[in-house]
Amino acid sequence: PVELNPTLLPLEWLLGTWESDEPGEGCFPTIKPFRYTETLHFTHVGQPVINFMFNAFHAESKKPLHRECGFIRMQPGANKVAFIIAQNSGLVEIEEGELTGQQLNLQTHALARISFAKEPHVQQITRVFQLQPDGTLEQTVSMATDNQPLTQHLHITYHRSS
Ligand code: HEM
């Protein structure tokens, strides 16, 4: 096993594989509420970078739905964190934010999409990762689209599976 790059020590609690406990809840004013399961993988190879993959499935049909993957970097000597993200919907994104203890608050810093991305287009994303005192991990995602202000889209809790 390769030693974690010291730049990333503040994010060590994130490393590993996380699986949803109860199905997560998806909502938005324009869609039917839905339930989903999700697995998160956070790994590293000794670089000052965390590699991640998030795979989500419909809770009832088990069909693969949303997938995203990318890299996490931390500004050395600061609590600033950047997520570099590619989503299967055709979106690429940079989210930046702050690490406070074991809570990460991120928001869109840059966003681009394929020319034939489905509408409405996302304009802004915010997300919070929070390690709970009981060791579970919580993620909450909000988004703004062409026709809706910033509103919650996702909420889910995971337990560490490895
Ligand atoms: C709908 C964006 C993550 C499942 C949508 C819509 C957008 C969107 C723009 C359409 C809203 C509308 O029609 O007004 C995103 C973004 C995500 C994300 C930016 C990540 C940051 C997820 C995840 C799931 C999911 C993890 C889990 C399965 C759905 C479903 C719908 C939906 C089921 C409704 C049906 C559909 O339009 O496909 N999402 N989403 N999304 N999203 Fe997400």
Side-chain angles (χ1 to χ4, degrees), residues 90-149:
L91 202 65
V92 296
E93 201 203 351
I94 293 171
E95 290 180 21
E96 290 195 4
E98 304 233 312
L99 178 65
T100 313
Q102 292 169 330
Q103 173 170 327
L104 246 176
N105 271 285
L106 301 161
Q107 57 177 309
T108 301
H109 173 72
L111 187 154
R113 63 180 61 82
I114 58 173
S115 60
F116 50 96
K118 214 167 128 187
E119 295 190 2
H121 290 166
V122 186
Q123 298 298 347
Q124 171 77 21
I125 298 168
T126 65
R127 55 177 117 197
V128 181
F129 288 96
Q130 165 118 52
L131 187 68
Q132 302 293 349
D134 68 357
T136 61
L137 177 68
E138 193 178 339
Q139 184 182 190
T140 309
V141 177
S142 298
M143 65 179 175
T145 63
D146 294 332
N147 54 41
Q148 294 294 322

Side-chain angles (χ1 to χ4, degrees), residues 57-68:
F57 304 83
H58 194 274
E60 284 82 32
S61 72
K62 320 263 191 249
K63 270 194 178 164
L65 288 176
H66 193 266
R67 299 169 82 86
E68 46 191 310

